């Protein structure tokens, strides 16, 4: 454990070494759950390495793919992503979602879709506020034009929005209006939420995976300021439908920045602990 967090490995110039280190660290997180294996500052650096590894999931032919896939499944199973919220890694979370959207359009397996869906659902359900950096690409995935252009993204977006309906309900209409679009531009699941009649895609579609949809029940949270969406540096308002679709596959990669950490949220930490058990 001590050897793996040496700067010579965490900041190694060789990409393959960094992915291998991230893989080993994810295994340590799995084994040590429900306890955090390192201190807050070290965990931030570890999550930066893990999110970097997720960018390899769109490259199935590379030597890094299998390790990146294993890291993804581990993070989903032990709900390690909840610790990112406790550590205030907001920019890193946005980058992680961007990596996911870029990867999902390659039509991955059902097991991989489950892992990404679980991580996205956990993050959105437990976030105190939902930034446009997270919400805009999610909405873009279920634009009607993307049903055939990016079917895997459409399917994932519907499931995530449906599972997070209670949390997204107070903010989703404002996000649609800020994009210059209307409810009619999106999947029917969006309209159902805006009408306070959310549907549960999860219950109406076959899972098609050997993995369960979730290992523990995560309660939907409540937005602190109903009807408001928190803007961030990765969002832009006043876009039209085509601009919103472009948000699904951003060209620029969000830089990884050090985020300041406040006191941990006991609720999120408990859920990480429960997953470890």
């Amino acid at each position: 454990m001590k050897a793996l967090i040496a700067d010579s490995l965490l900041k190694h110039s060789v990409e393959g070494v960094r992915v291998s280190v991230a893989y080993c660290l994810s295994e340590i997180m799995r084994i040590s759950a429900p306890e955090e294996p390192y201190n807050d500052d070290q965990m931030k650096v570890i999550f930066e390495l893990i999110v970097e590894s997720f960018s390899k999931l769109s490259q199935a032919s590379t030597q890094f793919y299998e390790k990146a896939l294993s890291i993804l499944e581990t993070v989903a199973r032990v709900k390690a992503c909840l610790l990112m919220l406790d550590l205030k890694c907001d920019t890193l979370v946005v980058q992680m979602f961007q990596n996911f959207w870029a990867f999902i359009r390659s039509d991955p397996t059902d097991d991989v879709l489950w892992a990404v869906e679980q991580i996205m659902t956990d993050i959105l359900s437990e976030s105190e506020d939902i930034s446009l950096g997270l919400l805009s690409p999610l909405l873009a995935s279920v634009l009607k034009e993307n049903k055939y252009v990016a079917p895997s993204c459409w399917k994932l977006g519907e499931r995530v929005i449906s599972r997070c309906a209670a949390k997204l309900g107070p903010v989703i209409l404002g996000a649609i209006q800020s994009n210059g679009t209307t409810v009619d531009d999106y999947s029917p699941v969006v309209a159902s939420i805006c009408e306070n009649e959310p549907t549960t895609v999860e219950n109406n579609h076959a899972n098609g995976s050997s993995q369960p949809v979730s290992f523990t029940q995560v309660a939907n949270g409540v937005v602190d300021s109903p009807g408001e969406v928190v803007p961030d540096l990765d969002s832009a308002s006043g876009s039209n439908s085509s601009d919103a679709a472009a948000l699904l596959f951003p060209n620029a990669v969000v830089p990884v920045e050090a985020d300041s950490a406040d006191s941990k949220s006991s609720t999120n930490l408990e859920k990480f602990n429960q997953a470890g058990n």
Side-chain angles (χ1 to χ4, degrees):
M1 288 178 62
K2 291 181 180 179
L4 282 170
I5 57 170
D7 283 348
S8 58
L9 288 179
L10 293 176
K11 300 178 181 179
H12 201 282
S13 59
V14 177
E15 188 177 46
V17 173
R18 295 197 302 274
V19 174
S20 295
V21 172
Y23 168 77
C24 293
L25 289 168
S26 70
E27 285 297 287
I28 288 178
M29 290 173 63
R30 178 183 63 80
I31 294 169
S32 64
E35 301 297 327
E36 292 181 60
Y38 301 101
N39 65 40
D40 288 357
D41 290 336
Q42 291 169 334
M43 289 300 297
K44 286 183 180 181
V45 176
I46 290 170
F47 279 122
E48 289 176 6
L49 213 58
I50 286 174
V51 171
E52 179 189 352
S53 73
F54 289 159
S55 66
K56 312 306 174 189
L57 290 170
S58 59
Q59 307 166 13
S61 60
T62 68
Q63 57 182 322
F64 313 127
Y65 178 79
E66 291 298 330
K67 288 180 179 177
L69 182 57
S70 177
I71 296 169
L72 174 72
E73 293 175 342
T74 297
V75 170
R77 286 176 180 276
V78 303
K79 298 187 180 294
C81 58
L82 295 181
L83 296 180
M84 297 175 71
L85 297 179
D86 293 331
L87 294 172
K88 306 299 182 183
C89 298
D90 299 334
T91 301
L92 196 60
V93 169
V94 171
Q95 182 181 346
M96 178 172 68
F97 273 44
Q98 288 185 354
N99 288 343
F100 287 160
W101 288 121
F103 163 62
I104 290 301
R105 57 179 166 172
S106 63
D107 195 23
T109 64
D110 287 329
D111 288 351
V112 175
L113 281 170
W114 165 81
V116 172
E117 177 188 336
Q118 190 62 44
I119 293 172
M120 284 186 167
T121 301
D122 286 341
I123 288 288
L124 292 171
S125 296
E126 298 303 320
S127 294
E128 292 182 2
D129 300 295
I130 300 175
S131 71
L132 285 176
L134 298 181
L135 186 53
S136 292
L138 177 60
L139 278 173
S141 71
V142 292
L143 278 166
K144 289 180 178 179
E145 61 196 69
N146 281 330
K147 183 174 183 179
Y148 303 104
V149 174
S152 294
C153 292
W154 169 278
K155 176 183 177 181
L156 175 65
E158 279 199 323
R159 290 179 63 86
V160 171
I161 290 173
S162 180
R163 292 181 65 183
C164 300
K167 188 61 175 280
L168 295 176
V171 300
I172 199 167
L173 185 57
I176 290 172
Q177 293 171 343
S178 72
N179 283 335
T181 53
T182 67
V183 172
D184 291 338
D185 294 322
Y186 298 89
S187 160
V189 73
V190 174
S192 69
I193 292 175
C194 292
E195 295 168 358
N196 294 321
E197 295 177 357
T199 57
T200 305
V201 177
E202 178 182 341
N203 294 333
N204 296 335
H205 294 272
N207 185 31
S209 170
S210 58
Q211 301 287 358
V213 172
S214 63
F215 289 89
T216 60
Q217 181 63 40
V218 179
N220 285 323
V222 178
V223 178
D224 289 341
S225 303
E228 294 184 4
V229 182
V230 179
D232 59 24
L233 296 178
D234 308 295
S235 65
S237 62
S239 59
N240 56 30
S241 178
S242 297
D243 292 334
L247 287 171
L248 183 57
F249 309 128
N251 294 323
V253 176
V254 177
V256 177
E257 301 174 355
D259 294 290
S260 60
D262 297 329
S263 59
K264 280 187 171 57
S265 162
S266 59
T267 301
N268 286 343
L269 191 57
E270 287 172 3
K271 287 183 172 60
F272 171 67
N273 292 345
Q274 290 170 2
N277 292 330

